[in-house]
Amino acid sequence: MDLRSPVDPQNADILPTRQGYDRWSTIYDGEDNPLIRLEAPVVEGLLGDTNGMQVLDVGCGTGRWSLRLASVGARVTAIDFSEGMLQKARAKTGAGRVRFIRHDLSRPLPFPDNAFDRLTCCLVLEHVTDLEPLYREFRRVCRPDGHMVISNMHPAMTLLGIQARFTDPETGRDTRPESAGHQISDYVIAATRAGLRADHLGEHLVDESLATQSPRARKYLGWPMLFVMRLKLSD
Ligand SMILES: C[S@@+](CC[C@H](N)C(=O)[O-])C[C@H]1O[C@@H](n2cnc3c(N)ncnc32)[C@H](O)[C@@H]1O
């Protein structure tokens, strides 16, 4: 079932995903994003110690995870198809320690088999229509003893009409890079079909502490905002 709620074109612009992120890149890092506040400690905990490890950051955006992981000693390769987002990432302190590559996830990953110990794919998969071929690529490039941490906006948010979106500073309009409308079952079943198994699934609610830090989140108090999985290769 496609969970996307219909968007009134009078009130919002839906852009092809890459174009949407190219536009969003100009303000992406300056916004208060409660989803990111909620996500950061969860993903950090699931990744564990990455010092000295080969890590692939898929859909790296402005380098939030790539730069963080490189700063604690990981050898990071980061891929994204938005030149706008990549430019922001490459301009940051510490970016010289990360190998940034422009790549569209609808194509096979440009890496050999078993190249990475860890893979992060944070807040990206809601934009990927066909999940199974991408998960198969994750499986191929991840070492047999490695693991992957995947975070997404919780699909329940879609029921409230919320998806990745920003106010375009040029047009002043609600603007949304196109999303696929997946349910949790879509994420999990596609991973299973691709030969992966989840050893952790977490659904995280907006609580009082998050609403205090990020007033934007208060209207979602009690709702699940974040969905996180850790995936390993099936035996
Ligand atoms: C919400 S941002 C998240 C960025 C980063 N992972 C983070 O957590 O801060 C989503 C990113 O996914 C990238 N993305 C979406 N679809 C993609 C695709 N088909 N190929 C490559 N990158 C894609 C976008 O360009 C954008 O930078």
Side-chain angles (χ1 to χ4, degrees):
M1 188 175 76
D2 183 338
L3 278 181
R4 283 173 293 190
S5 47
V7 173
D8 178 353
Q10 302 251 315
N11 297 325
D13 295 334
I14 298 189
L15 297 182
T17 307
R18 177 166 38 190
Q19 194 185 335
Y21 277 101
D22 280 341
R23 292 241 198 124
W24 197 348
S25 65
T26 60
I27 57 164
Y28 188 85
D29 285 333
E31 294 189 310
D32 171 38
N33 187 334
L35 180 59
I36 284 177
R37 284 183 191 271
L38 191 57
E39 187 237 34
V42 179
V43 168
E44 183 107 46
L46 289 172
L47 274 172
D49 183 6
T50 53
N51 186 15
M53 290 189 177
Q54 291 285 353
V55 179
L56 176 63
D57 186 20
V58 176
C60 62
T62 58
R64 182 170 65 100
W65 281 111
S66 324
L67 295 166
R68 161 89 191 117
L69 295 172
S71 77
V72 294
R75 289 172 284 161
V76 182
T77 301
I79 57 176
D80 202 290
F81 71 173
S82 162
E83 193 51 44
M85 297 294 269
L86 285 169
Q87 270 177 18
K88 292 287 178 187
R90 288 191 186 108
K92 288 181 179 173
T93 306
R97 289 200 290 260
V98 176
R99 179 169 62 137
F100 287 104
I101 299 173
R102 189 169 178 188
H103 178 79
D104 185 337
L105 299 175
S106 63
R107 292 189 288 114
L109 297 176
F111 308 112
D113 297 355
N114 304 329
F116 300 99
D117 305 290
R118 296 283 181 273
L119 184 151
T120 52
C121 184
C122 294
L123 313 179
V124 178
L125 291 186
E126 72 174 90
H127 301 295
V128 174
T129 308
D130 198 359
L131 293 170
E132 190 180 327
L134 181 58
Y135 281 137
R136 285 191 188 282
E137 281 295 279
F138 288 180
R139 185 181 202 286
R140 182 181 67 75
V141 301
C142 190
R143 294 196 176 125
D145 59 348
H147 70 245
M148 308 155 202
V149 179
I150 315 281
S151 71
N152 289 295
M153 181 185 289
H154 196 290
M157 286 285 107
T158 322
L159 303 174
L160 298 174
I162 304 302
Q163 61 186 82
R165 65 176 184 183
F166 64 103
T167 302
D168 188 327
E170 277 188 28
T171 63
R173 284 177 56 81
D174 177 352
T175 304
R176 301 169 181 217
E178 192 160 17
S179 292
H182 300 305
Q183 300 184 67
I184 288 182
S185 52
D186 297 322
Y187 291 116
V188 176
I189 289 170
T192 306
R193 287 190 178 136
L196 301 171
R197 67 181 169 86
D199 78 337
H200 174 94
L201 290 177
E203 298 178 70
H204 300 266
L205 311 183
V206 177
D207 61 10
E208 186 56 43
S209 153
L210 183 66
T212 303
Q213 292 169 62
S214 183
R216 275 176 80 184
R218 181 160 296 282
K219 53 184 175 296
Y220 310 119
L221 210 56
W223 278 79
M225 182 176 265
L226 173 71
F227 165 58
V228 181
M229 300 188 286
R230 183 169 57 196
L231 300 175
K232 294 187 171 170
L233 277 61
S234 298
D235 301 326

